[in-house]
């Protein structure tokens, strides 16, 4: 699992206290107990992160146990799928794989013990009568007419229940506790019921099955679990947990249950009872449909497991949970992928450009695979020819104000290549632009202009004769919003074993625009030789990888993992939003194929923010100025003028650092990703502090990667950026003498890779640079680190 900061949450505090007191003789045993009746989802992933993390942190033991006590819904398929998910998340259960069904005999013996001590009885009432007899919060329950059966009669009936003499529902075994208890769950809860059904592991050996509240505490005790961690909806069930263990002979120190809030992720469909009808109706492709929030879906979409662990760390562990914004998960994914995903160029909505003054030869351009601030090295060859593909949205015949890309008679910079000028526009009979005739300036290779002229825009491109055709899939929130959306809990049995929980009919809420399939996208040829599991950043578009099901072999099918910016806005129409909270290019919603001329990208402007500007002259003026004078994109200008607070924050930052693009990027991407439902006014620092942090990055005092850690501290505690950089030891290391020991340590830790590098695999330089950056927490100057590493490796 990913490296984590030492936790200080209340559960870890309890574990530390137990270790200090010797409560469990130094043992720490946790467990993850899924029911094998479906696929795990992101909420389960955070539970795995917590349970395995605690065991790992304290040198303890982690158990994977299948709570397979319901014969009607469980299946070996789900067992194997869950094991695969847990492994993918990096949790290692070792030899500690268990099945609750293997404990059936011991559970039965415990039930007999309760009957013999007058603490359980066989109730022959119909389930409806039992439910009605429980009473209410204001009225005590009514004792069952069978509550005072003799021990002998109860033992006989329970034995005959096991032997299969009675039909389903004829009898149940109930605990004999208190029908007037203030906790309704303690009013003689059901422990066993009759179910004549084939069990996937036990066959027909049993026809009585324990309910969750009775079974899971015994399972914990049988396995020696010390800290049984449940989500907060089971808080009231803790009383049954303790009662069962106390009255079946388990003395202290016995397992104890602790509850936490778990994860409630915005726009995530978590309930198995909600997902199942979507699968059955064919509205999703299966439990691994990338629009779902199952772990299998995240794995297929391309989400790295480290991002889920980072999300769990960001959310934390508490008893008072709140809904986690989807943008926070997106931020975690980008944080992980930014440092490891090589950059390539892909054009999703191609428009042809003919470079009229370019000869027929092909020029090879050595393009960097990573930006300088991530501490990784590497490059790929990109062919440049006289015919290119660019994004249709990067050209405007009648450009809006602030448009900084290609226009008739205007210039734009081609990423890693040359400056081109649009000389002519070719249209078809319907007036659609089908081709641009351009000239390039051969003196501007690499994007530089020797004569000093300013070219504001930079766009990506792909050579026409070398482009690879690909299918690209864009995913967005699966369901349209619904007022008072009620989510069903994903229960092991639910808090009420008698309640029949009916899955809500959500099939009518599926958004057909949640999946957009683009055929005919153009990808640069460098991806051909990469391993299929490579995750890329398609420059200016998002992070992608090849679909592991449909993208194998010669098929190029790419899934978008996450966009470069979080852009989902509730309330925006399907047409405006497209498949990721933003207007998209060239595709058809609902899995259709692109056909005919693809639509242009619709400007990303929020109706709500536009309305705010229409009633506020200051905001309206700022919106125009940010685009016309500062050169910001329409989207960024929109985000920065949605309120006076946002604009004031940006203005205060600009007063400290006049690089508008840099400051805007910090606000709309990094700060927004850490807000967690708060507003800018709630932050313990202001725009001036952010501007000073951005300035420290741009002058080289701190690397951008390390500055993100500083920002996270500022969001939590406030503080002056320069002082935090010093206190956190994150000042950029640009002195060779300071880096020398780190470089030597990295090479000493990777002797086999050093030999492999010296044997000719020069691409390993990126690994070594990354290790130096890791050891310095991102503070090292990556160029200096690469230089020093190369000198030592080549010597």
């Amino acid at each position: 699992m990913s490296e984590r900061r030492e936790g200080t949450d209340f559960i870890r505090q309890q574990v530390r206290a137990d270790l200090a007191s010797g409560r469990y003789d130094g043992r720490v045993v946790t467990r993850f107990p899924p029911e094998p009746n479906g696929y795990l989802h992101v909420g389960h992933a955070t539970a795995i992160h917590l349970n395995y993390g605690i065991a790992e942190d304290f040198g303890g033991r982690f158990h994977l146990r299948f709570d397979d006590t319901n014969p009607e819904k469980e299946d070996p398929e789900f067992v194997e799928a869950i094991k695969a998910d847990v492994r993918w998340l990096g949790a290692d259960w070792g030899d500690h794989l268990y099945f609750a069904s293997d404990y059936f005999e011991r559970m039965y013996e415990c039930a007999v013990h309760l009957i013999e001590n007058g603490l359980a009885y066989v109730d022959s009432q119909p389930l409806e009568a039992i439910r009605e007899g429980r009473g209410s919060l204001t009225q005590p329950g009514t004792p069952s007419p069978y509550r005072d059966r003799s021990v002998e009669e109860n033992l006989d009936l329970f034995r005959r229940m096991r032997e299969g003499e009675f039909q389903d529902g004829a009898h149940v075994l109930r605990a004999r506790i208190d029908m007037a208890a203030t906790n309704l769950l303690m009013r003689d809860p059901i422990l066993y019921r009759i179910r004549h059904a084939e069990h996937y592991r036990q066959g027909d050996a049993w026809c009585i099955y324990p309910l969750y509240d009775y079974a899971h505490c015994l399972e914990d005790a049988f396995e020696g679990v010390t800290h049984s961690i449940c989500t907060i909806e089971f808080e009231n069930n803790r009383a049954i947990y303790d009662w069962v263990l106390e009255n079946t002979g388990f003395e202290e120190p016995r397992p104890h249950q602790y509850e936490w809030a778990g994860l409630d992720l915005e726009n995530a469909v978590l309930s198995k009872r909600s997902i199942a009808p979507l699968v059955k109706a064919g509205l999703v492709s299966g439990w691994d449909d990338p629009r779902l929030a199952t772990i299998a879906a995240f794995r297929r979409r391309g989400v790295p497991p480290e991002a889920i662990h980072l999300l769990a760390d960001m959310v934390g562990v508490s008893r008072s949970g709140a809904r986690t914004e989807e943008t926070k998960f997106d931020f975690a994914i980008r944080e992980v992928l930014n440092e490891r995903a090589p950059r390539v160029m892909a054009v999703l909505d191609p428009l042809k450009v003919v470079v009229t003054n370019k000869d027929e030869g092909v020029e090879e351009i050595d393009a960097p695979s990573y930006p300088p601030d991530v501490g990784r090295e590497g490059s790929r060859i990109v062919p440049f020819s006289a015919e290119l593909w660019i994004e249709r949205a990067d050209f405007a015949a009648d450009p809006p104000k602030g448009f900084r890309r290609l226009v008739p008679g205007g210039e734009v910079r081609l990423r890693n290549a040359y400056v081109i000028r649009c000389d002519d526009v070719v249209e078809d009979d319907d007036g659609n632009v089908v081709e641009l005739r351009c000239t390039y300036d051969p003196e501007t290779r690499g994007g530089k202009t020797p004569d000093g002229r300013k070219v504001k825009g930079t766009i990506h491109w792909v050579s026409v004769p070398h482009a690879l055709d690909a299918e690209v899939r864009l995913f967005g929130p699966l369901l349209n919003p619904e007022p008072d959306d009620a989510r069903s809990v994903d229960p092991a049995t639910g808090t009420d074993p008698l309640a029949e929980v009916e899955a809500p009919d959500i099939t009518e809420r599926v958004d057909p625009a949640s999946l957009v399939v683009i055929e005919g996208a153009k990808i640069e040829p460098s991806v051909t030789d990469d391993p299929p599991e490579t995750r890329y950043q398609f420059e200016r578009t998002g992070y992608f990888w090849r679909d592991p099901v449909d993208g194998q072999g010669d098929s190029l099918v790419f899934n978008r993992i996450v966009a470069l910016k979080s852009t989902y806005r509730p309330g925006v129409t399907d047409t405006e939003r497209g498949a990721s909270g933003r207007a998209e290019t060239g595709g058809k919603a609902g899995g259709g194929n692109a056909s005919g001329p693809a639509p242009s990208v619709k400007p990303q402007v929020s109706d709500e923010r536009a309305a705010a500007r229409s009633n506020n002259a200051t905001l309206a003026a700022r919106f125009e100025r940010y685009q016309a004078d500062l050169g910001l994109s329409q989207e960024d200008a929109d985000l920065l003028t949605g309120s006076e607070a946002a604009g004031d924050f940006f203005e205060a930052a600009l007063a400290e650092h006049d690089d508008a693009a840099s400051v805007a990027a910090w606000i709309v991407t990094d700060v927004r990703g850490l807000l967690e439902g708060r507003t800018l006014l709630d932050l313990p620092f202001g725009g001036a502090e952010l501007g000073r942090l951005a300035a420290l990055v741009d002058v080289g005092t701190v690397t951008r990667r390390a500055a993100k850690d500083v920002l996270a501290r500022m969001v939590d505690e406030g503080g002056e950026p320069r002082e935090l950089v010093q206190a956190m030891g994150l000042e950029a290391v640009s002195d060779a003498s300071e880096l020398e020991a780190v470089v030597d340590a990295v090479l000493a830790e990777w002797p086999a890779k050093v030999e492999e590098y010296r044997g000719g695999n020069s691409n390993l330089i990126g690994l070594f640079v990354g290790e130096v950056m890791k050891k310095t927490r991102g503070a090292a100057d990556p160029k200096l680190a690469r230089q020093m590493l190369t000198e030592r490796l080549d010597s």
Side-chain angles (χ1 to χ4, degrees), residues 691-712:
R692 289 195 286 273
L693 177 62
L696 291 175
V697 173
D698 288 350
V699 299
T701 302
V702 61
T703 67
R704 199 179 197 288
R705 176 63 192 88
K708 291 183 179 183
D709 293 338
V710 177
L711 178 63

PDB file of all heavy atoms in Angstrom, residues 691-712:
ATOM      1  N   GLY A 691      -0.330  34.108  -3.298  1.00  0.00           N
ATOM      2  CA  GLY A 691       0.523  34.775  -4.276  1.00  0.00           C
ATOM      3  C   GLY A 691       1.991  34.666  -3.895  1.00  0.00           C
ATOM      4  O   GLY A 691       2.851  34.439  -4.752  1.00  0.00           O
ATOM      5  N   ARG A 692       2.279  34.798  -2.617  1.00  0.00           N
ATOM      6  CA  ARG A 692       3.674  34.681  -2.171  1.00  0.00           C
ATOM      7  C   ARG A 692       4.185  33.258  -2.330  1.00  0.00           C
ATOM      8  O   ARG A 692       5.365  33.052  -2.646  1.00  0.00           O
ATOM      9  CB  ARG A 692       3.799  35.168  -0.723  1.00  0.00           C
ATOM     10  CG  ARG A 692       3.639  36.684  -0.593  1.00  0.00           C
ATOM     11  CD  ARG A 692       4.107  37.205   0.750  1.00  0.00           C
ATOM     12  NE  ARG A 692       3.194  36.900   1.826  1.00  0.00           N
ATOM     13  CZ  ARG A 692       2.152  37.646   2.178  1.00  0.00           C
ATOM     14  NH1 ARG A 692       1.884  38.765   1.502  1.00  0.00           N
ATOM     15  NH2 ARG A 692       1.389  37.313   3.200  1.00  0.00           N
ATOM     16  N   LEU A 693       3.312  32.271  -2.122  1.00  0.00           N
ATOM     17  CA  LEU A 693       3.722  30.882  -2.338  1.00  0.00           C
ATOM     18  C   LEU A 693       4.033  30.649  -3.820  1.00  0.00           C
ATOM     19  O   LEU A 693       5.052  30.032  -4.161  1.00  0.00           O
ATOM     20  CB  LEU A 693       2.615  29.926  -1.882  1.00  0.00           C
ATOM     21  CG  LEU A 693       2.890  28.434  -2.118  1.00  0.00           C
ATOM     22  CD1 LEU A 693       4.111  27.971  -1.335  1.00  0.00           C
ATOM     23  CD2 LEU A 693       1.664  27.593  -1.758  1.00  0.00           C
ATOM     24  N   ALA A 694       3.169  31.137  -4.710  1.00  0.00           N
ATOM     25  CA  ALA A 694       3.409  30.991  -6.153  1.00  0.00           C
ATOM     26  C   ALA A 694       4.714  31.669  -6.554  1.00  0.00           C
ATOM     27  O   ALA A 694       5.471  31.161  -7.386  1.00  0.00           O
ATOM     28  CB  ALA A 694       2.235  31.566  -6.938  1.00  0.00           C
ATOM     29  N   ALA A 695       5.003  32.815  -5.955  1.00  0.00           N
ATOM     30  CA  ALA A 695       6.239  33.527  -6.268  1.00  0.00           C
ATOM     31  C   ALA A 695       7.460  32.730  -5.818  1.00  0.00           C
ATOM     32  O   ALA A 695       8.479  32.682  -6.524  1.00  0.00           O
ATOM     33  CB  ALA A 695       6.230  34.906  -5.607  1.00  0.00           C
ATOM     34  N   LEU A 696       7.363  32.106  -4.658  1.00  0.00           N
ATOM     35  CA  LEU A 696       8.479  31.283  -4.175  1.00  0.00           C
ATOM     36  C   LEU A 696       8.784  30.146  -5.147  1.00  0.00           C
ATOM     37  O   LEU A 696       9.948  29.778  -5.353  1.00  0.00           O
ATOM     38  CB  LEU A 696       8.151  30.713  -2.792  1.00  0.00           C
ATOM     39  CG  LEU A 696       8.095  31.708  -1.633  1.00  0.00           C
ATOM     40  CD1 LEU A 696       7.647  31.007  -0.354  1.00  0.00           C
ATOM     41  CD2 LEU A 696       9.448  32.378  -1.418  1.00  0.00           C
ATOM     42  N   VAL A 697       7.730  29.597  -5.749  1.00  0.00           N
ATOM     43  CA  VAL A 697       7.928  28.523  -6.725  1.00  0.00           C
ATOM     44  C   VAL A 697       8.624  29.069  -7.967  1.00  0.00           C
ATOM     45  O   VAL A 697       9.601  28.498  -8.465  1.00  0.00           O
ATOM     46  CB  VAL A 697       6.587  27.875  -7.108  1.00  0.00           C
ATOM     47  CG1 VAL A 697       6.776  26.873  -8.252  1.00  0.00           C
ATOM     48  CG2 VAL A 697       5.975  27.172  -5.900  1.00  0.00           C
ATOM     49  N   ASP A 698       8.144  30.190  -8.461  1.00  0.00           N
ATOM     50  CA  ASP A 698       8.641  30.698  -9.730  1.00  0.00           C
ATOM     51  C   ASP A 698      10.065  31.234  -9.640  1.00  0.00           C
ATOM     52  O   ASP A 698      10.768  31.297 -10.647  1.00  0.00           O
ATOM     53  CB  ASP A 698       7.693  31.777 -10.269  1.00  0.00           C
ATOM     54  CG  ASP A 698       6.379  31.172 -10.758  1.00  0.00           C
ATOM     55  OD1 ASP A 698       6.296  29.936 -10.846  1.00  0.00           O
ATOM     56  OD2 ASP A 698       5.428  31.928 -11.040  1.00  0.00           O
ATOM     57  N   VAL A 699      10.499  31.620  -8.431  1.00  0.00           N
ATOM     58  CA  VAL A 699      11.886  32.079  -8.293  1.00  0.00           C
ATOM     59  C   VAL A 699      12.815  30.952  -7.872  1.00  0.00           C
ATOM     60  O   VAL A 699      14.014  31.157  -7.708  1.00  0.00           O
ATOM     61  CB  VAL A 699      11.993  33.249  -7.295  1.00  0.00           C
ATOM     62  CG1 VAL A 699      11.176  34.429  -7.766  1.00  0.00           C
ATOM     63  CG2 VAL A 699      11.608  32.821  -5.893  1.00  0.00           C
ATOM     64  N   GLY A 700      12.253  29.760  -7.670  1.00  0.00           N
ATOM     65  CA  GLY A 700      13.084  28.603  -7.386  1.00  0.00           C
ATOM     66  C   GLY A 700      13.360  28.347  -5.923  1.00  0.00           C
ATOM     67  O   GLY A 700      14.172  27.477  -5.584  1.00  0.00           O
ATOM     68  N   THR A 701      12.703  29.083  -5.021  1.00  0.00           N
ATOM     69  CA  THR A 701      12.916  28.842  -3.589  1.00  0.00           C
ATOM     70  C   THR A 701      12.385  27.478  -3.164  1.00  0.00           C
ATOM     71  O   THR A 701      12.948  26.813  -2.294  1.00  0.00           O
ATOM     72  CB  THR A 701      12.230  29.944  -2.761  1.00  0.00           C
ATOM     73  OG1 THR A 701      12.745  31.209  -3.155  1.00  0.00           O
ATOM     74  CG2 THR A 701      12.453  29.746  -1.272  1.00  0.00           C
ATOM     75  N   VAL A 702      11.299  27.046  -3.797  1.00  0.00           N
ATOM     76  CA  VAL A 702      10.694  25.757  -3.493  1.00  0.00           C
ATOM     77  C   VAL A 702      10.163  25.185  -4.809  1.00  0.00           C
ATOM     78  O   VAL A 702       9.721  25.935  -5.686  1.00  0.00           O
ATOM     79  CB  VAL A 702       9.557  25.902  -2.447  1.00  0.00           C
ATOM     80  CG1 VAL A 702       8.449  26.802  -2.971  1.00  0.00           C
ATOM     81  CG2 VAL A 702       8.990  24.560  -2.022  1.00  0.00           C
ATOM     82  N   THR A 703      10.244  23.880  -4.969  1.00  0.00           N
ATOM     83  CA  THR A 703       9.683  23.272  -6.179  1.00  0.00           C
ATOM     84  C   THR A 703       8.169  23.277  -6.094  1.00  0.00           C
ATOM     85  O   THR A 703       7.587  23.347  -4.999  1.00  0.00           O
ATOM     86  CB  THR A 703      10.174  21.832  -6.358  1.00  0.00           C
ATOM     87  OG1 THR A 703       9.642  21.012  -5.307  1.00  0.00           O
ATOM     88  CG2 THR A 703      11.693  21.759  -6.345  1.00  0.00           C
ATOM     89  N   ARG A 704       7.540  23.173  -7.247  1.00  0.00           N
ATOM     90  CA  ARG A 704       6.082  23.181  -7.234  1.00  0.00           C
ATOM     91  C   ARG A 704       5.534  21.964  -6.491  1.00  0.00           C
ATOM     92  O   ARG A 704       4.526  22.047  -5.800  1.00  0.00           O
ATOM     93  CB  ARG A 704       5.505  23.216  -8.653  1.00  0.00           C
ATOM     94  CG  ARG A 704       4.046  23.683  -8.663  1.00  0.00           C
ATOM     95  CD  ARG A 704       3.453  23.740 -10.050  1.00  0.00           C
ATOM     96  NE  ARG A 704       2.245  24.525 -10.093  1.00  0.00           N
ATOM     97  CZ  ARG A 704       1.076  24.155  -9.573  1.00  0.00           C
ATOM     98  NH1 ARG A 704       0.975  22.995  -8.967  1.00  0.00           N
ATOM     99  NH2 ARG A 704       0.011  24.938  -9.667  1.00  0.00           N
ATOM    100  N   ARG A 705       6.200  20.830  -6.659  1.00  0.00           N
ATOM    101  CA  ARG A 705       5.730  19.626  -5.958  1.00  0.00           C
ATOM    102  C   ARG A 705       5.778  19.822  -4.449  1.00  0.00           C
ATOM    103  O   ARG A 705       4.835  19.491  -3.740  1.00  0.00           O
ATOM    104  CB  ARG A 705       6.601  18.428  -6.366  1.00  0.00           C
ATOM    105  CG  ARG A 705       6.248  17.145  -5.615  1.00  0.00           C
ATOM    106  CD  ARG A 705       4.824  16.717  -5.935  1.00  0.00           C
ATOM    107  NE  ARG A 705       4.344  15.670  -5.058  1.00  0.00           N
ATOM    108  CZ  ARG A 705       3.741  15.873  -3.895  1.00  0.00           C
ATOM    109  NH1 ARG A 705       3.551  17.114  -3.465  1.00  0.00           N
ATOM    110  NH2 ARG A 705       3.316  14.869  -3.169  1.00  0.00           N
ATOM    111  N   ALA A 706       6.884  20.362  -3.952  1.00  0.00           N
ATOM    112  CA  ALA A 706       6.984  20.590  -2.513  1.00  0.00           C
ATOM    113  C   ALA A 706       6.014  21.675  -2.062  1.00  0.00           C
ATOM    114  O   ALA A 706       5.474  21.616  -0.946  1.00  0.00           O
ATOM    115  CB  ALA A 706       8.415  20.969  -2.148  1.00  0.00           C
ATOM    116  N   ALA A 707       5.766  22.664  -2.931  1.00  0.00           N
ATOM    117  CA  ALA A 707       4.846  23.742  -2.576  1.00  0.00           C
ATOM    118  C   ALA A 707       3.429  23.221  -2.357  1.00  0.00           C
ATOM    119  O   ALA A 707       2.653  23.825  -1.608  1.00  0.00           O
ATOM    120  CB  ALA A 707       4.858  24.817  -3.656  1.00  0.00           C
ATOM    121  N   LYS A 708       3.073  22.129  -3.005  1.00  0.00           N
ATOM    122  CA  LYS A 708       1.753  21.547  -2.764  1.00  0.00           C
ATOM    123  C   LYS A 708       1.623  21.070  -1.324  1.00  0.00           C
ATOM    124  O   LYS A 708       0.548  21.165  -0.723  1.00  0.00           O
ATOM    125  CB  LYS A 708       1.507  20.394  -3.733  1.00  0.00           C
ATOM    126  CG  LYS A 708       1.329  20.828  -5.183  1.00  0.00           C
ATOM    127  CD  LYS A 708       1.012  19.643  -6.076  1.00  0.00           C
ATOM    128  CE  LYS A 708       0.798  20.060  -7.513  1.00  0.00           C
ATOM    129  NZ  LYS A 708       0.431  18.938  -8.375  1.00  0.00           N
ATOM    130  N   ASP A 709       2.693  20.536  -0.758  1.00  0.00           N
ATOM    131  CA  ASP A 709       2.661  20.145   0.649  1.00  0.00           C
ATOM    132  C   ASP A 709       2.523  21.369   1.550  1.00  0.00           C
ATOM    133  O   ASP A 709       1.828  21.330   2.576  1.00  0.00           O
ATOM    134  CB  ASP A 709       3.928  19.371   1.014  1.00  0.00           C
ATOM    135  CG  ASP A 709       4.005  18.018   0.324  1.00  0.00           C
ATOM    136  OD1 ASP A 709       2.943  17.507  -0.078  1.00  0.00           O
ATOM    137  OD2 ASP A 709       5.115  17.480   0.192  1.00  0.00           O
ATOM    138  N   VAL A 710       3.184  22.448   1.160  1.00  0.00           N
ATOM    139  CA  VAL A 710       3.055  23.694   1.917  1.00  0.00           C
ATOM    140  C   VAL A 710       1.614  24.191   1.862  1.00  0.00           C
ATOM    141  O   VAL A 710       1.040  24.602   2.879  1.00  0.00           O
ATOM    142  CB  VAL A 710       4.010  24.762   1.370  1.00  0.00           C
ATOM    143  CG1 VAL A 710       3.826  26.091   2.111  1.00  0.00           C
ATOM    144  CG2 VAL A 710       5.462  24.296   1.487  1.00  0.00           C
ATOM    145  N   LEU A 711       1.008  24.148   0.674  1.00  0.00           N
ATOM    146  CA  LEU A 711      -0.379  24.584   0.534  1.00  0.00           C
ATOM    147  C   LEU A 711      -1.310  23.750   1.406  1.00  0.00           C
ATOM    148  O   LEU A 711      -2.224  24.288   2.042  1.00  0.00           O
ATOM    149  CB  LEU A 711      -0.806  24.510  -0.929  1.00  0.00           C
ATOM    150  CG  LEU A 711      -2.258  24.906  -1.211  1.00  0.00           C
ATOM    151  CD1 LEU A 711      -2.496  26.366  -0.855  1.00  0.00           C
ATOM    152  CD2 LEU A 711      -2.616  24.658  -2.678  1.00  0.00           C
ATOM    153  N   ALA A 712      -1.106  22.433   1.428  1.00  0.00           N
ATOM    154  CA  ALA A 712      -1.950  21.573   2.263  1.00  0.00           C
ATOM    155  C   ALA A 712      -1.849  21.980   3.728  1.00  0.00           C
ATOM    156  O   ALA A 712      -2.861  21.996   4.453  1.00  0.00           O
ATOM    157  CB  ALA A 712      -1.537  20.110   2.083  1.00  0.00           C
TER     158      ALA A 712
END
